[in-house]
Amino acid sequence: MMEHNSQAAAATGPSRRDVLSGAAGFMAAIAGLSVLAGRARGQAVLRPNIVYIVADDLGFADVGFRGSDIRTPNIDRLAAEGAVLQNFYTQPLCTPTRAALMTGRYPLRYGLQVGVIPSGGIYGLAPDEHLLPQALKEAGYSTRMVGKWHLGHADRAFWPRQRGFDYFYGALVGEIDHFKHEAHGVTDWYRDNELLIEPGYDTELFGADAVRQIDEHDPANPLFLYLAFTAPHTPYQAPQEYLDLYPDIPDENRRAYAGMITAMDVQIGNVIAALEAKGLRENTLILFHSDNGGTRSKMFVGEGAVAGDLPPDNTPLREGKGTVYEGGTRVVALANWPGRIAPGEAQGVVHVVDMLPTLAALTGADLGKSKALDGMDVWQALAAGQASPRQDMVYNVDPGIGSVRDGKWKLVWNAMLPPKVELFDLEADPGEVTDLSAANPEKVAELQARVVHLARSMAPPLFFQTALSATLSMPLVIAD
């Protein structure tokens, strides 16, 4: 393992200037435009392999290509040779983001807009929602999932194998001990639908299994591999060899957090190497992003307590996970496909709900079984750095808070008493420092009307039903 660590510590990917200064950037841009033109003329779809990688609670600034001291050479190389998605958005929390990815629909449509599915939660992503792996499987893809699910565990009808994946290896709930694979002392580790007891650090196990899926893949059919790491979600744990990479970080939480990210990066490097060895890399689209911003409030660390400071860094964005501010929803993201995606920075606004229709259009998958989508095809924003067709966006709407965007304007409306309304110009103020609501009452009213319209049609939050049931079933407590 230390051999991999040494490679990760020493490796340095090409700089963005190196890539862009050569002919590679120009040729990739032309290739990206040709893909767009071909699709516009209705030509045959390309059906690439897709490796979709999701990190868990990764801070916006906590990768090497953003200047962090945390070593991520493999992620940095993907960024240098691909498109950094500068305005990629998710939901503020884990379960809602994963649901949005799988459905192409905002979580308010099906009751997952509040909180995450807790260990005691009996609900999940509604079985009548047609998911991304189902659509890709119907289009001839081999669909494999490795990692964290967190879209329902209490009923097998919610599990990955029942939702379109040909194979599943990993955890069903949102937070596990990274070495014991347990939540509240109960093992949460599965292969397909069978409980599995095995030793090992989860990030390394996920990487090894992802490599195995690639090695054993029959290239006669395209591959969709969804690799959802549990890193760097709490608890902050890493093998000693990764902790030893950061002797100059005195804070124990941040040293472990850094080690977790580097451990994930090493496994991403192993996945890339496996694709290359199999001869699949040139026709593989790799997507990478975090499920939400880094955790800056202990209210949102998860089900276990965390002592000390929280290490994620979302600079220059405001706040973090669990909030609708930019630090909670604008995340590290990139897209990489050699010769098809132009290296550079893609500035267009993209939301995670856009990924299902974008991938469906790219692969020829039929979305006729999907309910009305909130997402749209944003391939031109990914492949050639063109303007995104997305001009408005819903950060989230629930009974307590609503946040929407229209062009440069963003409304944050906390309707709980005492209420608070904020309006930001994200083009001039991406850090959300200056509230412009008082100077723009008409824009505030317009965006509030949009929030109310969405609230009137949203599904009741399923989290509240579980929370209420848990509270009412608590045993009687009487003072001594």
Side-chain angles (χ1 to χ4, degrees):
M1 193 64 221
M2 280 303 294
E3 179 182 355
H4 293 304
N5 291 345
S6 298
Q7 293 172 355
T12 56
S15 70
R16 186 171 304 281
R17 180 175 298 175
D18 293 338
V19 175
L20 293 176
S21 64
F26 174 76
M27 294 305 296
I30 296 300
L33 289 171
S34 69
V35 172
L36 296 177
R39 290 168 64 193
R41 292 192 298 268
Q43 293 181 355
V45 293
L46 297 174
R47 290 164 58 84
N49 303 299
I50 302 167
V51 176
Y52 202 116
I53 306 173
V54 176
D56 201 351
D57 296 359
L58 178 65
F60 188 76
D62 292 328
V63 287
F65 71 84
R66 293 209 187 279
S68 177
D69 60 343
I70 298 175
R71 301 171 194 174
T72 57
N74 296 297
I75 295 172
D76 298 345
R77 182 174 290 273
L78 288 174
E81 298 175 352
V84 175
L85 310 181
Q86 294 285 33
N87 290 285
F88 188 96
Y89 288 86
T90 64
Q91 297 299 122
L93 288 166
C94 170
T95 292
T97 289
R98 293 160 204 267
L101 167 62
M102 291 293 151
T103 63
R105 289 158 42 83
Y106 293 127
L108 63 91
R109 308 295 187 192
Y110 38 82
L112 292 181
Q113 70 272 49
V114 173
V116 299
I117 300 175
S119 296
I122 61 173
Y123 62 95
L125 178 56
D128 63 349
E129 294 285 342
H130 196 65
L131 307 189
L132 174 61
Q134 293 172 308
L136 291 177
K137 184 175 181 178
E138 292 166 358
Y141 273 73
S142 173
T143 56
R144 330 290 283 181
M145 180 185 171
V146 176
K148 170 178 168 177
W149 179 237
H150 209 186
L151 290 175
H153 56 274
D155 188 324
R156 290 198 177 204
F158 298 139
W159 292 16
R161 283 300 308 275
Q162 283 66 255
R163 305 308 298 270
F165 283 104
D166 296 320
Y167 173 84
F168 167 65
Y169 171 77
L172 294 171
V173 302
E175 177 184 337
I176 60 172
D177 183 285
H178 298 288
F179 291 98
K180 298 178 181 179
H181 319 150
E182 295 177 351
H184 302 286
V186 178
T187 299
D188 179 41
W189 199 253
Y190 292 84
R191 176 167 282 120
D192 294 323
N193 289 333
E194 300 301 321
L195 185 67
L196 183 63
I197 306 295
E198 64 177 349
Y201 184 57
D202 57 1
T203 296
E204 294 177 334
L205 293 174
F206 292 148
D209 201 78
V211 167
R212 187 177 305 112
Q213 299 311 308
I214 294 168
D215 289 345
E216 298 176 358
H217 175 65
D218 181 356
N221 294 314
L223 170 67
F224 172 57
L225 174 60
Y226 175 43
L227 175 54
F229 286 103
T230 52
H233 193 292
T234 56
Y236 298 127
Q237 299 171 324
Q240 188 62 46
E241 59 224 56
Y242 288 102
L243 299 177
D244 290 344
L245 293 175
Y246 296 99
D248 296 331
I249 298 180
D251 181 78
E252 291 185 3
N253 282 346
R254 190 168 188 277
R255 185 163 61 252
Y257 174 78
M260 294 173 79
I261 294 171
T262 298
M264 176 176 64
D265 182 83
V266 168
Q267 297 310 316
I268 290 173
N270 291 343
V271 167
I272 296 170
L275 290 168
E276 292 170 344
K278 188 79 171 179
L280 301 177
R281 182 67 188 97
E282 295 303 307
N283 192 37
T284 296
L285 168 64
I286 297 178
L287 295 157
F288 171 84
H289 65 81
S290 183
D291 62 344
N292 43 249
T295 311
R296 297 303 306 146
S297 167
K298 290 192 177 180
M299 182 183 299
F300 302 113
V301 295
E303 296 182 15
V306 176
D309 294 334
L310 297 176
D313 182 0
N314 296 319
T315 303
L317 307 178
R318 180 175 176 179
E319 297 199 23
K321 174 185 177 180
T323 77
V324 293
Y325 292 110
E326 296 291 285
T329 56
R330 183 178 164 195
V331 300
V332 174
L334 62 86
N336 184 297
W337 185 5
R340 297 290 186 178
I341 290 181
E345 295 183 351
Q347 300 294 338
V349 174
V350 176
H351 192 278
V352 69
V353 294
D354 298 327
M355 301 316 296
L356 180 144
T358 300
L359 294 178
L362 187 66
T363 61
D366 184 358
L367 296 181
K369 296 179 182 178
S370 292
K371 297 184 180 182
L373 297 178
D374 294 302
M376 58 187 67
D377 183 356
V378 295
W379 179 251
Q380 65 268 38
L382 305 185
Q386 295 187 9
S388 172
R390 177 168 291 285
Q391 297 301 312
D392 59 60
M393 191 174 73
V394 179
Y395 287 82
N396 199 33
V397 175
D398 66 40
I401 193 168
S403 182
V404 295
R405 176 173 179 171
D406 179 27
K408 69 178 184 178
W409 295 107
K410 175 181 179 179
L411 176 77
V412 178
W413 181 13
N414 188 336
M416 298 180 67
L417 298 178
K420 183 179 182 180
V421 175
E422 296 171 291
L423 182 71
F424 301 104
D425 176 352
L426 292 180
E427 291 182 1
D429 181 24
E432 298 171 298
V433 174
T434 305
D435 175 16
L436 301 176
S437 59
N440 297 274
E442 293 183 357
K443 194 65 184 181
V444 169
E446 174 192 337
L447 296 181
Q448 283 185 312
R450 170 70 171 150
V451 170
V452 171
H453 173 76
L454 289 165
R456 284 175 174 158
S457 62
M458 73 179 178
L462 297 170
F463 178 84
F464 288 159
Q465 299 176 21
T466 291
L468 180 61
S469 176
T471 301
L472 294 177
S473 63
M474 290 289 288
L476 177 65
V477 177
I478 300 177
D480 295 334

